[in-house]
């Protein structure tokens, strides 16, 4: 496997772990349920983004290397739909637990970028 596949798999695995941790905190800390709910929903969408970026990059590489006819399309539309779905899920969750923190949702949307940056910084120091 080349370096990109290893990086993509590690990033997706670590983003999944972070999402599960946020979900566990949401279940275990009812006092901070609003913040943890936003982080969980945002990081779940971020996990979708990480998988989407990995697939899109593989498709672009196939087009560049093998002149493949399968080109990535409508990716941005799906990402916008996922953000809208996250906001709708947040509204549904608000009915059950009360206020869900929008800033924590926005921070959660950047989970995979933060995990990716953390992976690079960790690799540089080791």
């Amino acid at each position: 496997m080349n370096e990109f596949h290893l990086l993509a798999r590690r990033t997706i695995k670590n983003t999944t772990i972070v999402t599960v941790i946020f979900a566990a905190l949401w279940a275990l800390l009812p006092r901070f349920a609003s913040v943890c709910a936003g982080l969980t929903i945002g990081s779940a969408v971020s996990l979708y983004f990480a998988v989407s970026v990995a697939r899109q990059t593989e498709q672009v590489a196939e087009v560049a290397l093998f002149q493949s006819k399968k080109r990535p399309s409508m990716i941005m539309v799906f990402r916008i739909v996922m953000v809208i779905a996250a906001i709708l899920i947040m509204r549904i969750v608000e009915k059950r637990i009360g206020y869900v923190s929008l800033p924590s949702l926005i921070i959660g949307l950047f989970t995979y970028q933060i995990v990716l940056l953390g992976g690079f910084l960790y690799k540089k120091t080791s």
Side-chain angles (χ1 to χ4, degrees):
M1 239 186 250
N2 63 16
E3 189 174 337
F4 170 74
H5 288 292
L6 290 174
L7 178 65
R9 287 179 64 197
R10 187 178 324 124
T11 302
I12 291 169
K13 182 183 98 175
N14 292 341
T15 305
T16 303
I17 291 169
V18 169
T19 303
V20 168
I21 289 171
F22 286 152
L25 289 175
W26 183 9
L28 296 174
L29 301 173
R31 185 173 197 188
F32 301 106
S34 65
V35 173
C36 293
L39 289 171
T40 303
I41 295 167
S43 64
V45 172
S46 181
L47 179 61
Y48 169 77
F49 289 169
V51 172
S52 173
V53 166
R55 284 187 188 152
Q56 184 180 8
T57 305
E58 288 176 2
Q59 288 177 352
V60 168
E62 286 178 12
V63 168
L65 295 174
F66 308 115
Q67 283 75 35
S68 172
K69 300 293 182 198
K70 186 177 180 183
R71 295 176 187 259
S73 61
M74 306 256 318
I75 300 295
M76 192 63 185
V77 173
F78 290 133
R79 290 183 185 171
I80 292 170
V81 167
M82 286 303 293
V83 171
I84 292 170
I87 292 171
L88 292 174
I89 290 170
M90 186 179 80
R91 295 293 179 199
I92 292 169
V93 169
E94 279 182 347
K95 292 177 184 172
R96 291 187 57 214
I97 66 167
Y99 173 73
V100 175
S101 174
L102 183 62
S104 65
L105 175 74
I106 293 170
I107 291 169
L109 290 174
F110 292 101
T111 301
Y112 102 86
Q113 288 94 346
I114 294 168
V115 167
L116 191 62
L117 179 64
F120 280 129
L121 293 176
Y122 178 75
K123 191 175 183 181
K124 292 267 185 187
T125 59
S126 1

